[in-house]
């Protein structure tokens, strides 16, 4: 009977979402723990909730170290709105409509 008992390598000793592990066998035959990274989510459009193309799906810490050029698309509202929504025909009309609803315009 083989015992697959391994110990955590970090201080956190609970089986939480951030402490998920994978059992991995080394070339020497030892069974060790590898830590799994969390799954990433694709950036979504603020209006239509479709996936934004051209923006990498990475964890927020990695996103903070990336340059601005990588995190956005070279368009008005690039990186937060998709091309369908941010085109002048669609988004421009909704901005004008909202402006007319505000008092003082």
């Amino acid at each position: 009977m083989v015992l697959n008992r391994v110990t955590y390598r970090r201080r956190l000793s609970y089986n939480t979402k951030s402490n998920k592990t994978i059992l991995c066998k080394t070339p020497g035959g030892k069974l060790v723990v590898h830590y799994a990274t969390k799954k990433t989510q694709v950036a979504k459009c603020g209006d239509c909730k479709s996936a934004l193309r051209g923006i990498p799906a990475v964890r927020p810490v990695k996103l903070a170290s990336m340059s601005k050029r990588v995190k956005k698309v070279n368009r008005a509202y690039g990186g937060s709105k998709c091309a369908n929504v941010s085109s002048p025909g669609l988004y421009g009309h909704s901005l004008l409509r909202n402006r007319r609803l505000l008092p003082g315009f």
Side-chain angles (χ1 to χ4, degrees), residues 2-20:
V2 180
L3 288 177
N4 290 339
R5 289 185 182 173
V6 290
T7 56
Y8 287 124
R9 302 174 91 172
R10 297 178 185 164
R11 288 180 189 271
L12 182 59
S13 61
Y14 299 104
N15 188 23
T16 59
K17 281 196 296 185
S18 63
N19 204 29
K20 293 298 175 194

Side-chain angles (χ1 to χ4, degrees), residues 45-50 80-81 85 91 94:
C45 173
D47 288 357
C48 64
K49 307 297 184 230
S50 64
S80 64
K81 306 248 187 291
V85 171
Y91 203 67
S94 66

Side-chain angles (χ1 to χ4, degrees), residues 28-95:
K30 269 178 65 176
L31 202 63
V32 293
V33 169
H34 281 186
Y35 285 91
T37 54
K38 285 187 180 180
K39 292 235 174 157
T40 58
Q41 286 191 330
V42 180
K44 294 195 170 44
C45 173
D47 288 357
C48 64
K49 307 297 184 230
S50 64
L52 291 177
R53 291 172 294 284
I55 286 120
V58 291
R59 297 297 300 166
V61 173
K62 180 86 173 172
L63 205 62
S65 66
M66 287 181 170
S67 66
K68 194 178 191 179
R69 179 185 66 81
V70 179
K71 291 186 280 193
K72 66 192 290 277
V73 181
N74 196 5
R75 190 192 316 117
Y77 302 99
S80 64
K81 306 248 187 291
C82 67
N84 299 333
V85 171
S86 66
S87 64
L90 293 172
Y91 203 67
H93 292 304
S94 66
L95 284 174

